[in-house]
Coordinates of all heavy atoms in Angstrom, one line a residue:
M53 N -42.3 15.5 388.6 CA -42.5 16.3 387.5 C -41.1 16.6 386.8 O -40.2 16.9 387.5 CB -43.1 17.6 387.9 CG -43.2 18.6 386.7 SD -43.9 20.2 387.2 CE -45.6 19.8 387.7
E54 N -41.1 16.5 385.5 CA -39.9 16.7 384.8 C -39.5 18.2 384.8 O -40.4 19.1 384.7 CB -40.0 16.3 383.3 CG -38.8 16.5 382.5 CD -39.0 16.0 381.0 OE1 -40.0 15.4 380.8 OE2 -38.2 16.4 380.2
T55 N -38.3 18.5 385.1 CA -37.9 20.0 385.1 C -36.7 20.2 384.3 O -36.0 19.2 383.9 CB -37.6 20.4 386.5 OG1 -36.5 19.6 387.0 CG2 -38.8 20.3 387.4
T56 N -36.4 21.4 384.0 CA -35.1 21.8 383.3 C -34.2 22.6 384.2 O -34.7 23.3 385.1 CB -35.4 22.6 382.0 OG1 -34.2 22.9 381.4 CG2 -36.2 23.9 382.3
S57 N -32.9 22.4 384.1 CA -32.0 23.1 385.0 C -31.2 24.1 384.2 O -30.0 24.3 384.6 CB -31.2 22.1 385.8 OG -30.5 21.3 384.8
S58 N -31.7 24.7 383.1 CA -30.9 25.6 382.3 C -30.7 26.9 383.1 O -29.8 27.7 382.7 CB -31.7 25.9 381.0 OG -32.9 26.5 381.3
S59 N -31.4 27.2 384.1 CA -31.1 28.4 384.9 C -31.2 27.9 386.4 O -31.3 26.8 386.7 CB -32.2 29.5 384.7 OG -33.4 29.0 385.2
S60 N -31.0 28.9 387.3 CA -31.0 28.5 388.7 C -32.3 28.1 389.2 O -32.5 27.4 390.2 CB -30.5 29.7 389.5 OG -31.3 30.8 389.3
N61 N -33.4 28.5 388.5 CA -34.7 28.1 388.9 C -35.2 26.8 388.2 O -34.9 26.7 387.0 CB -35.7 29.2 388.6 CG -35.4 30.5 389.3 OD1 -35.1 30.4 390.5 ND2 -35.5 31.6 388.7
Q62 N -35.8 25.9 389.0 CA -36.4 24.7 388.4 C -37.8 25.1 387.9 O -38.6 25.5 388.7 CB -36.4 23.6 389.5 CG -35.0 23.2 389.9 CD -34.4 22.3 388.8 OE1 -34.9 21.4 388.4 NE2 -33.2 22.7 388.4
V63 N -38.0 24.9 386.7 CA -39.4 25.2 386.1 C -39.9 23.9 385.4 O -39.1 23.1 384.9 CB -39.3 26.4 385.2 CG1 -39.0 27.6 385.9 CG2 -38.4 26.1 384.0
P64 N -41.2 23.8 385.3 CA -41.8 22.6 384.6 C -41.4 22.6 383.2 O -41.4 23.7 382.5 CB -43.3 22.8 384.8 CG -43.4 23.7 385.9 CD -42.2 24.6 385.9
A65 N -41.0 21.5 382.6 CA -40.6 21.4 381.2 C -41.6 20.6 380.4 O -41.5 20.6 379.2 CB -39.2 20.8 381.1
A66 N -42.5 19.9 381.1 CA -43.3 19.0 380.3 C -44.6 19.6 379.9 O -45.2 19.1 378.9 CB -43.6 17.8 381.2
S67 N -45.1 20.6 380.5 CA -46.5 21.1 380.1 C -46.4 21.9 378.8 O -45.4 22.5 378.5 CB -47.0 22.0 381.3 OG -46.2 23.1 381.4
K68 N -47.5 21.8 378.1 CA -47.5 22.4 376.8 C -48.0 23.8 376.9 O -49.1 24.1 377.6 CB -48.5 21.6 375.9 CG -48.6 22.2 374.5 CD -49.4 21.2 373.6 CE -49.3 21.6 372.2 NZ -49.9 20.6 371.3
L69 N -47.3 24.8 376.3 CA -47.7 26.2 376.4 C -48.9 26.4 375.4 O -48.8 26.0 374.2 CB -46.6 27.1 376.1 CG -45.4 27.0 377.0 CD1 -44.2 27.9 376.4 CD2 -45.7 27.5 378.4
L70 N -49.9 27.1 375.9 CA -51.0 27.5 375.0 C -51.0 29.1 374.9 O -50.9 29.7 376.0 CB -52.3 27.1 375.5 CG -52.5 25.6 375.9 CD1 -53.9 25.3 376.5 CD2 -52.3 24.8 374.6
L71 N -51.0 29.6 373.7 CA -51.1 31.1 373.6 C -52.4 31.5 372.9 O -52.6 31.2 371.8 CB -49.9 31.6 372.8 CG -49.9 33.1 372.5 CD1 -49.7 33.9 373.9 CD2 -48.8 33.5 371.5
Y72 N -53.2 32.2 373.7 CA -54.4 32.7 373.2 C -54.1 34.1 372.6 O -53.6 35.0 373.3 CB -55.5 32.8 374.3 CG -56.0 31.5 374.7 CD1 -55.3 30.7 375.5 CD2 -57.2 31.0 374.2 CE1 -55.7 29.4 375.9 CE2 -57.7 29.7 374.6 CZ -56.9 29.0 375.5 OH -57.3 27.7 375.8
S73 N -54.4 34.3 371.3 CA -53.8 35.5 370.6 C -54.7 35.8 369.4 O -55.5 35.1 369.0 CB -52.4 35.1 370.2 OG -51.8 36.1 369.4
Y74 N -54.5 37.1 369.0 CA -55.1 37.5 367.7 C -54.0 38.1 366.8 O -53.1 38.8 367.3 CB -56.2 38.6 368.0 CG -56.8 39.1 366.7 CD1 -57.5 38.2 365.9 CD2 -56.7 40.4 366.4 CE1 -58.1 38.7 364.7 CE2 -57.3 40.9 365.2 CZ -58.0 40.0 364.4 OH -58.6 40.5 363.2
W75 N -54.0 37.7 365.6 CA -52.9 38.0 364.7 C -52.5 39.5 364.6 O -51.4 39.9 364.4 CB -53.1 37.4 363.3 CG -54.2 38.0 362.5 CD1 -55.5 37.8 362.5 CD2 -54.0 39.0 361.4 NE1 -56.2 38.6 361.6 CE2 -55.2 39.3 360.9 CE3 -52.8 39.6 360.8 CZ2 -55.4 40.3 359.9 CZ3 -53.0 40.5 359.8 CH2 -54.3 40.9 359.4
Q76 N -53.5 40.4 364.7 CA -53.3 41.8 364.6 C -53.0 42.5 365.9 O -52.8 43.7 366.0 CB -54.4 42.5 364.0 CG -54.5 42.4 362.4 CD -55.6 43.2 361.8 OE1 -56.8 43.1 362.3 NE2 -55.3 44.0 360.8
S77 N -52.9 41.7 367.0 CA -52.7 42.3 368.3 C -51.2 42.5 368.5 O -50.4 41.5 368.6 CB -53.2 41.3 369.4 OG -52.6 41.5 370.6
S78 N -50.8 43.8 368.7 CA -49.4 44.1 368.9 C -48.9 43.5 370.2 O -47.7 43.1 370.4 CB -49.1 45.6 368.8 OG -49.9 46.3 369.7
C79 N -49.8 43.5 371.2 CA -49.4 42.9 372.5 C -49.0 41.4 372.4 O -48.1 40.9 373.0 CB -50.5 43.1 373.5 SG -51.0 44.8 373.8
S80 N -49.8 40.8 371.5 CA -49.5 39.4 371.2 C -48.3 39.2 370.4 O -47.6 38.2 370.6 CB -50.7 38.7 370.5 OG -51.9 38.9 371.3
W81 N -48.0 40.1 369.5 CA -46.7 40.0 368.7 C -45.5 39.8 369.6 O -44.6 39.0 369.4 CB -46.5 41.2 367.8 CG -47.5 41.4 366.7 CD1 -48.4 40.5 366.3 CD2 -47.6 42.6 365.9 NE1 -49.1 41.1 365.2 CE2 -48.6 42.4 365.0 CE3 -47.0 43.8 365.9 CZ2 -49.0 43.3 364.1 CZ3 -47.4 44.8 365.0 CH2 -48.4 44.5 364.1
R82 N -45.4 40.7 370.6 CA -44.2 40.7 371.5 C -44.1 39.3 372.2 O -42.9 38.9 372.4 CB -44.2 41.8 372.4 CG -45.2 41.9 373.5 CD -44.9 43.0 374.5 NE -45.1 44.3 374.0 CZ -46.2 45.0 374.3 NH1 -47.1 44.6 375.1 NH2 -46.3 46.2 373.8
V83 N -45.2 38.7 372.5 CA -45.1 37.4 373.2 C -44.7 36.4 372.1 O -43.8 35.5 372.5 CB -46.5 37.1 373.8 CG1 -46.5 35.6 374.2 CG2 -46.8 38.0 374.9
R84 N -45.2 36.4 370.9 CA -44.8 35.5 369.9 C -43.3 35.6 369.6 O -42.6 34.6 369.4 CB -45.7 35.6 368.7 CG -47.1 35.2 368.9 CD -47.8 34.8 367.6 NE -47.9 35.9 366.7 CZ -48.8 36.8 366.6 NH1 -49.8 36.8 367.5 NH2 -48.8 37.8 365.7
F85 N -42.8 36.9 369.5 CA -41.4 37.1 369.3 C -40.6 36.4 370.4 O -39.6 35.7 370.1 CB -41.1 38.6 369.3 CG -41.6 39.4 368.2 CD1 -41.8 40.8 368.3 CD2 -41.8 38.8 366.9 CE1 -42.3 41.5 367.3 CE2 -42.3 39.6 365.9 CZ -42.5 41.0 366.0
A86 N -41.0 36.6 371.6 CA -40.2 36.1 372.7 C -40.2 34.5 372.7 O -39.2 33.9 372.9 CB -40.7 36.6 374.0
L87 N -41.4 34.0 372.5 CA -41.5 32.5 372.4 C -40.6 31.9 371.3 O -39.9 30.9 371.5 CB -42.9 32.1 372.2 CG -43.9 32.2 373.4 CD1 -45.3 32.1 372.9 CD2 -43.6 31.2 374.5
N88 N -40.6 32.6 370.1 CA -39.8 32.1 369.0 C -38.3 32.3 369.3 O -37.5 31.5 368.9 CB -40.3 32.8 367.7 CG -41.7 32.3 367.3 OD1 -42.0 31.1 367.5 ND2 -42.5 33.2 366.7
L89 N -38.0 33.5 369.8 CA -36.6 33.7 370.1 C -36.0 32.7 371.1 O -34.9 32.3 371.0 CB -36.4 35.1 370.7 CG -36.4 36.3 369.7 CD1 -36.4 37.6 370.4 CD2 -35.2 36.2 368.7
K90 N -36.9 32.3 372.1 CA -36.4 31.3 373.0 C -36.6 29.9 372.5 O -36.2 28.9 373.1 CB -37.3 31.4 374.3 CG -37.0 32.6 375.2 CD -35.9 32.5 376.2 CE -36.2 31.5 377.3 NZ -35.3 31.5 378.4
G91 N -37.2 29.7 371.3 CA -37.4 28.4 370.7 C -38.4 27.6 371.5 O -38.2 26.3 371.5
L92 N -39.3 28.2 372.1 CA -40.3 27.4 372.9 C -41.5 27.1 372.0 O -42.2 28.0 371.5 CB -40.8 28.3 374.1 CG -39.7 28.6 375.1 CD1 -40.3 29.6 376.1 CD2 -39.3 27.3 375.9
P93 N -41.8 25.8 371.9 CA -43.0 25.4 371.2 C -44.3 25.8 371.9 O -44.3 25.7 373.2 CB -42.8 23.9 371.0 CG -42.0 23.5 372.2 CD -41.1 24.6 372.5
Y94 N -45.3 26.1 371.2 CA -46.5 26.5 371.8 C -47.7 26.2 370.8 O -47.5 26.2 369.6 CB -46.6 27.9 372.3 CG -46.5 28.9 371.1 CD1 -47.6 29.5 370.6 CD2 -45.2 29.3 370.6 CE1 -47.5 30.4 369.5 CE2 -45.1 30.2 369.6 CZ -46.2 30.8 369.1 OH -46.1 31.7 368.0
E95 N -48.8 26.0 371.4 CA -50.0 25.8 370.6 C -50.7 27.2 370.5 O -51.0 27.8 371.5 CB -51.0 24.8 371.2 CG -52.2 24.5 370.3 CD -53.1 23.4 370.9 OE1 -52.5 22.6 371.7 OE2 -54.3 23.4 370.7
Y96 N -51.0 27.6 369.3 CA -51.6 28.9 369.0 C -53.2 28.7 369.1 O -53.7 27.9 368.4 CB -51.2 29.4 367.6 CG -51.7 30.8 367.3 CD1 -51.1 31.9 367.7 CD2 -52.9 30.9 366.6 CE1 -51.5 33.2 367.4 CE2 -53.4 32.2 366.2 CZ -52.7 33.3 366.7 OH -53.1 34.6 366.3
K97 N -53.8 29.5 370.0 CA -55.2 29.4 370.1 C -55.8 30.8 369.7 O -55.7 31.8 370.4 CB -55.6 29.2 371.6 CG -55.0 27.9 372.2 CD -55.6 26.7 371.7 CE -56.4 26.0 372.7 NZ -57.0 24.7 372.2
P98 N -56.3 30.8 368.5 CA -56.8 32.1 367.9 C -58.1 32.6 368.7 O -59.0 31.8 368.9 CB -57.1 31.8 366.5 CG -57.3 30.4 366.4 CD -56.5 29.7 367.5
V99 N -58.1 33.9 369.0 CA -59.2 34.6 369.6 C -59.5 35.7 368.6 O -58.8 36.7 368.6 CB -58.9 35.1 371.0 CG1 -60.1 35.8 371.6 CG2 -58.5 33.9 371.9
S100 N -60.6 35.7 367.9 CA -60.9 36.7 366.9 C -61.5 37.9 367.7 O -62.7 37.9 368.2 CB -61.9 36.2 365.9 OG -62.3 37.3 365.1
L101 N -60.8 39.0 367.8 CA -61.3 40.2 368.4 C -62.4 40.8 367.6 O -63.4 41.3 368.2 CB -60.1 41.2 368.7 CG -59.0 40.7 369.5 CD1 -57.9 41.8 369.7 CD2 -59.5 40.1 370.9
P102 N -62.3 40.9 366.3 CA -63.4 41.5 365.5 C -64.7 40.8 365.7 O -65.8 41.3 365.7 CB -63.0 41.5 364.1 CG -61.5 41.4 364.1 CD -61.2 40.6 365.4
A103 N -64.6 39.4 365.9 CA -65.8 38.6 366.1 C -66.3 38.6 367.5 O -67.3 38.0 367.8 CB -65.5 37.2 365.6
G104 N -65.5 39.3 368.4 CA -65.9 39.4 369.8 C -65.7 38.1 370.6 O -66.3 38.0 371.7
E105 N -64.8 37.3 370.2 CA -64.5 36.0 370.9 C -63.9 36.3 372.3 O -64.0 35.4 373.1 CB -63.7 35.1 370.0 CG -64.4 34.5 368.8 CD -63.6 33.7 367.9 OE1 -62.4 33.4 368.2 OE2 -64.1 33.2 366.9
Q106 N -63.3 37.5 372.5 CA -62.7 37.8 373.8 C -63.8 37.9 374.8 O -63.5 37.9 376.0 CB -61.9 39.0 373.7 CG -62.6 40.3 373.5 CD -62.9 40.6 372.0 OE1 -63.1 39.8 371.3 NE2 -62.8 41.9 371.7
F107 N -65.1 38.0 374.4 CA -66.2 38.2 375.4 C -66.9 36.8 375.6 O -67.9 36.8 376.3 CB -67.2 39.2 374.9 CG -66.5 40.6 374.7 CD1 -66.4 41.1 373.4 CD2 -66.1 41.3 375.8 CE1 -65.8 42.4 373.3 CE2 -65.5 42.5 375.7 CZ -65.3 43.1 374.4
S108 N -66.4 35.8 375.0 CA -67.1 34.5 375.2 C -66.9 34.0 376.7 O -65.9 34.4 377.3 CB -66.5 33.4 374.3 OG -65.2 33.1 374.7
P109 N -67.8 33.2 377.2 CA -67.7 32.8 378.6 C -66.5 31.9 378.8 O -65.8 32.0 379.9 CB -69.0 31.9 378.7 CG -69.9 32.3 377.7 CD -69.1 32.8 376.6
E110 N -66.0 31.2 377.8 CA -64.8 30.4 377.9 C -63.6 31.2 378.1 O -62.8 31.0 378.9 CB -64.6 29.5 376.7 CG -65.7 28.4 376.5 CD -67.0 29.0 375.8 OE1 -66.9 30.1 375.2 OE2 -68.0 28.3 375.9
F111 N -63.5 32.3 377.3 CA -62.3 33.2 377.4 C -62.4 34.0 378.6 O -61.3 34.3 379.2 CB -62.2 34.1 376.1 CG -60.9 34.8 376.1 CD1 -59.7 34.1 375.7 CD2 -60.8 36.1 376.4 CE1 -58.5 34.8 375.8 CE2 -59.6 36.8 376.4 CZ -58.5 36.1 376.1
K112 N -63.6 34.4 379.0 CA -63.7 35.2 380.3 C -63.1 34.4 381.5 O -62.6 35.0 382.4 CB -65.2 35.5 380.6 CG -65.4 36.4 381.7 CD -66.8 36.7 382.0 CE -67.0 37.6 383.2 NZ -68.4 37.8 383.6
C113 N -63.2 33.1 381.4 CA -62.6 32.3 382.5 C -61.1 32.4 382.5 O -60.5 32.4 383.6 CB -63.0 30.8 382.3 SG -64.7 30.4 382.6
L114 N -60.5 32.6 381.4 CA -59.0 32.8 381.3 C -58.6 34.2 381.7 O -57.7 34.5 382.4 CB -58.5 32.5 379.9 CG -58.6 31.0 379.5 CD1 -58.2 30.9 378.0 CD2 -57.7 30.2 380.3
N115 N -59.4 35.2 381.1 CA -59.1 36.6 381.4 C -60.4 37.4 381.5 O -61.0 37.8 380.5 CB -58.2 37.2 380.3 CG -57.7 38.6 380.7 OD1 -58.1 39.1 381.7 ND2 -57.0 39.2 379.8
P116 N -60.8 37.7 382.7 CA -62.0 38.5 382.9 C -62.0 39.9 382.3 O -63.0 40.6 382.2 CB -62.2 38.5 384.4 CG -61.3 37.5 385.0 CD -60.2 37.3 384.0
L117 N -60.7 40.4 382.0 CA -60.6 41.7 381.4 C -60.8 41.6 379.9 O -60.8 42.7 379.2 CB -59.2 42.3 381.7 CG -58.9 42.5 383.1 CD1 -57.5 43.1 383.3 CD2 -59.9 43.6 383.7
H118 N -60.9 40.4 379.3 CA -61.3 40.2 377.9 C -60.1 40.6 376.9 O -60.4 41.0 375.8 CB -62.6 40.9 377.5 CG -63.7 40.6 378.4 ND1 -64.3 39.4 378.4 CD2 -64.4 41.4 379.3 CE1 -65.3 39.4 379.3 NE2 -65.4 40.6 379.8
F119 N -58.9 40.6 377.4 CA -57.8 41.0 376.5 C -56.9 39.8 376.1 O -56.8 38.8 376.9 CB -56.8 41.9 377.3 CG -57.4 43.3 377.4 CD1 -57.2 44.0 378.7 CD2 -57.9 44.0 376.4 CE1 -57.7 45.3 378.9 CE2 -58.4 45.3 376.6 CZ -58.3 45.9 377.8
V120 N -56.4 39.8 374.9 CA -55.3 38.9 374.5 C -54.0 39.7 374.7 O -54.1 40.9 374.6 CB -55.5 38.4 373.1 CG1 -56.7 37.4 373.0 CG2 -55.5 39.5 372.1
P121 N -52.9 39.1 374.8 CA -52.6 37.7 374.9 C -52.9 37.1 376.3 O -52.8 37.8 377.3 CB -51.1 37.6 374.5 CG -50.6 38.8 375.1 CD -51.6 39.9 374.9
V122 N -53.1 35.7 376.3 CA -53.1 34.9 377.5 C -52.2 33.7 377.3 O -52.3 33.1 376.2 CB -54.5 34.5 377.8 CG1 -54.5 33.5 379.0 CG2 -55.4 35.7 378.1
L123 N -51.3 33.5 378.2 CA -50.5 32.3 378.1 C -50.9 31.3 379.2 O -51.1 31.7 380.4 CB -49.0 32.6 378.3 CG -48.0 31.5 378.1 CD1 -47.8 31.2 376.6 CD2 -46.7 31.7 378.8
V124 N -51.1 30.1 378.8 CA -51.5 29.0 379.8 C -50.3 28.0 379.8 O -49.9 27.5 378.7 CB -52.8 28.3 379.4 CG1 -53.1 27.2 380.3 CG2 -53.9 29.4 379.3
D125 N -49.8 27.7 381.0 CA -48.8 26.8 381.2 C -49.2 25.8 382.3 O -49.0 26.1 383.5 CB -47.5 27.5 381.5 CG -46.3 26.5 381.7 OD1 -46.5 25.3 381.4 OD2 -45.2 27.0 382.2
G126 N -49.9 24.7 381.9 CA -50.4 23.9 382.9 C -51.5 24.6 383.6 O -52.5 25.0 383.0
D127 N -51.4 24.6 385.0 CA -52.4 25.3 385.8 C -52.2 26.8 385.9 O -53.0 27.5 386.5 CB -52.4 24.7 387.2 CG -52.9 23.3 387.2 OD1 -53.6 22.9 386.3 OD2 -52.4 22.5 388.2
T128 N -51.1 27.3 385.3 CA -50.8 28.7 385.4 C -51.4 29.5 384.2 O -51.1 29.1 383.1 CB -49.3 28.9 385.5 OG1 -48.8 28.1 386.6 CG2 -48.9 30.4 385.7
V129 N -52.1 30.5 384.5 CA -52.7 31.4 383.5 C -52.1 32.8 383.7 O -52.3 33.4 384.8 CB -54.2 31.4 383.5 CG1 -54.8 32.3 382.4 CG2 -54.8 30.0 383.4
V130 N -51.5 33.4 382.6 CA -50.9 34.7 382.7 C -51.5 35.6 381.6 O -51.5 35.2 380.5 CB -49.4 34.7 382.6 CG1 -48.8 36.1 382.9 CG2 -48.8 33.6 383.5
S131 N -52.0 36.7 382.0 CA -52.9 37.4 381.1 C -52.4 38.9 380.8 O -53.3 39.8 380.7 CB -54.3 37.4 381.5 OG -54.4 38.0 382.8
D132 N -51.2 39.1 380.8 CA -50.6 40.4 380.4 C -49.3 40.2 379.7 O -48.5 39.4 380.2 CB -50.4 41.3 381.7 CG -49.8 42.6 381.3 OD1 -50.6 43.5 380.9 OD2 -48.6 42.8 381.3
S133 N -49.1 40.9 378.6 CA -47.9 40.5 377.8 C -46.6 40.7 378.5 O -45.7 39.9 378.3 CB -48.0 41.4 376.5 OG -47.9 42.7 376.7
F134 N -46.5 41.8 379.3 CA -45.2 42.0 380.0 C -45.0 40.9 381.1 O -43.9 40.4 381.3 CB -45.1 43.4 380.6 CG -44.8 44.4 379.5 CD1 -45.8 45.3 379.1 CD2 -43.5 44.4 378.9 CE1 -45.5 46.2 378.1 CE2 -43.2 45.3 377.9 CZ -44.2 46.2 377.5
A135 N -46.1 40.6 381.8 CA -46.0 39.5 382.7 C -45.6 38.2 382.0 O -44.8 37.4 382.5 CB -47.3 39.3 383.5
I136 N -46.2 37.9 380.9 CA -45.9 36.7 380.1 C -44.4 36.7 379.7 O -43.8 35.7 379.8 CB -46.8 36.6 378.8 CG1 -48.3 36.4 379.2 CG2 -46.3 35.5 377.9 CD1 -49.2 36.5 378.1
L137 N -43.9 37.9 379.3 CA -42.5 38.0 379.0 C -41.6 37.5 380.1 O -40.6 36.8 380.0 CB -42.1 39.4 378.5 CG -42.7 39.8 377.2 CD1 -42.2 41.2 376.8 CD2 -42.4 38.9 376.0
L138 N -42.0 38.0 381.3 CA -41.2 37.6 382.5 C -41.3 36.1 382.7 O -40.2 35.5 383.1 CB -41.7 38.3 383.8 CG -41.5 39.8 383.7 CD1 -42.2 40.5 385.0 CD2 -40.1 40.2 383.7
V139 N -42.4 35.5 382.5 CA -42.6 34.0 382.6 C -41.7 33.3 381.6 O -40.9 32.4 381.9 CB -44.0 33.6 382.5 CG1 -44.1 32.1 382.3 CG2 -44.9 34.1 383.6
I140 N -41.7 33.8 380.4 CA -40.9 33.2 379.3 C -39.4 33.3 379.6 O -38.7 32.3 379.3 CB -41.3 33.9 377.9 CG1 -42.7 33.5 377.5 CG2 -40.3 33.5 376.9 CD1 -43.2 34.3 376.3
L141 N -39.0 34.4 380.2 CA -37.6 34.5 380.5 C -37.1 33.5 381.5 O -36.0 33.1 381.5 CB -37.3 35.9 381.1 CG -37.3 37.1 380.1 CD1 -37.1 38.4 380.9 CD2 -36.1 36.9 379.2
K142 N -38.1 33.0 382.3 CA -37.7 32.0 383.4 C -37.7 30.6 382.8 O -37.2 29.7 383.5 CB -38.7 32.1 384.5 CG -38.6 33.3 385.4 CD -37.4 33.2 386.3 CE -37.3 34.3 387.3 NZ -36.1 34.1 388.1
I143 N -38.3 30.4 381.7 CA -38.4 29.0 381.1 C -37.1 28.6 380.4 O -36.6 29.4 379.7 CB -39.6 28.9 380.1 CG1 -40.9 29.1 380.9 CG2 -39.7 27.5 379.5 CD1 -42.2 29.1 380.0
Ligands
GSH202 N1 -51.7 45.4 379.1 C1 -52.2 44.3 378.2 C2 -53.0 45.0 377.1 C3 -53.6 43.9 376.3 C4 -54.5 44.5 375.2 O1 -54.8 45.7 375.1 N2 -54.9 43.6 374.2 C5 -55.8 44.1 373.2 C6 -55.2 43.7 371.8 S1 -53.6 44.4 371.6 C7 -57.1 43.4 373.3 O2 -57.2 42.2 373.6 N3 -58.2 44.1 373.0 C8 -59.5 43.5 373.1 C9 -60.6 44.5 372.8 O3 -60.3 45.6 372.4 O4 -61.8 44.1 373.0 C10 -51.0 43.5 377.7 O5 -49.9 44.1 377.5 O6 -51.2 42.3 377.4

């Protein structure tokens, strides 16, 4: 697996980050800020909270608590904005 050695920890560099988010979600804003500040490319996966998409069976598999944001990095799923920030700091 390709890795980066920009810090002391070896982390995967090849997997594509997916961010499940809603544009008005302040919790999601902080994650988008951090991804952009770090210059990390990611695919934005919109989850419409007003439409109730957070309650869909597909999204429930990612976060049974039905909250955005959720960051997916390969097999790793992180579903709390502060936990996501810690992951982003390591990339
Ligand atoms: N502690 C969580 C809170 C996440 C949260 O409250 N997300 C809100 C949007 S900011 C949400 O998804 N709400 C869904 C709902 O109200 O049904 C985090 O920081 O990520």
